[in-house]
Amino acid sequence: IGWCGRLMLWRKALIFWKSIVIVCAIAYVSLLREPSVALPPISGIDKYMHMLMYLVLTWTLLWDSETLEWYRSGNGNSGRKVWKWWFIVLIFPILYGGCIELLQETYFSPRTGEWLDWGADCIGVVLAIVTWLVGQWWYARRMDKENRFDMGQ
């Protein structure tokens, strides 16, 4: 890759700066030797935290991906564009959650990797995508009604 290619990669990476910050924050919180903040003694609170972290990550990835030119032009309808979108917002967070759990189990001895934690990560990702798509549908429907009203129909 020449300098022009590197510049383009940096430019695309800067689009995802919010997502990169959240990815780093999840890694930091997940890979600490001992958690510095004690969670309230609520049954399953750690699973809810996993779900929330990956819900926020996926929403941020969705938000950032809307700024990409290939997403705006045609809204990702061609096969290659759809593949990029699904990789960014679905496959990446799920793989990332699995990698974090493997790292916890393998290299960070006081921490343990759990399948249920990874399941909670996956639920957070899917929940984020579903709520995003419902929000997009609702917004498009609302805008369609406003446009019809403005046209006098």
Side-chain angles (χ1 to χ4, degrees):
I1 293 180
W3 69 271
C4 187
R6 286 189 192 120
L7 182 64
M8 292 301 291
L9 284 174
W10 276 105
R11 190 169 153 242
K12 286 183 180 181
L14 286 176
I15 291 172
F16 286 92
W17 72 268
K18 295 177 285 304
S19 299
I20 292 168
V21 167
I22 292 177
V23 163
C24 292
I26 289 174
Y28 179 75
V29 169
S30 299
L31 300 176
L32 285 175
R33 293 278 180 202
E34 292 184 30
S36 57
V37 177
L39 295 174
I42 299 172
S43 177
I45 188 73
D46 64 323
K47 306 304 181 252
Y48 290 115
M49 294 305 294
H50 276 267
M51 209 167 50
L52 181 64
M53 285 190 305
Y54 283 84
L55 181 121
V56 170
L57 171 62
T58 306
W59 273 341
T60 308
L61 286 167
L62 285 159
W63 185 25
D64 288 346
S65 69
E66 279 201 337
T67 63
L68 292 173
E69 187 175 329
W70 59 262
Y71 181 84
R72 286 181 304 189
S73 61
N75 204 13
N77 291 331
S78 75
R80 185 170 174 216
K81 292 176 183 179
V82 170
W83 171 248
K84 282 182 183 180
W85 187 82
W86 281 110
F87 178 79
I88 289 171
V89 301
L90 177 69
I91 297 170
F92 170 73
I94 288 174
L95 289 177
Y96 182 67
C99 288
I100 290 286
E101 294 303 319
L102 289 173
L103 286 171
Q104 284 178 335
E105 185 65 33
T106 308
Y107 296 109
F108 298 90
S109 59
R111 304 298 297 248
T112 59
E114 294 182 28
W115 287 105
L116 290 176
D117 287 348
W118 189 47
D121 300 344
C122 294
I123 289 170
V125 170
V126 171
L127 190 60
I129 291 171
V130 168
T131 56
W132 183 272
L133 292 174
V134 168
Q136 294 284 336
W137 170 80
W138 178 80
Y139 180 75
R141 191 168 173 225
R142 184 172 156 233
M143 294 307 293
D144 185 46
K145 283 182 180 179
E146 286 180 12
N147 289 339
R148 278 189 278 160
F149 180 73
D150 288 343
M151 296 174 131
Q153 294 180 353

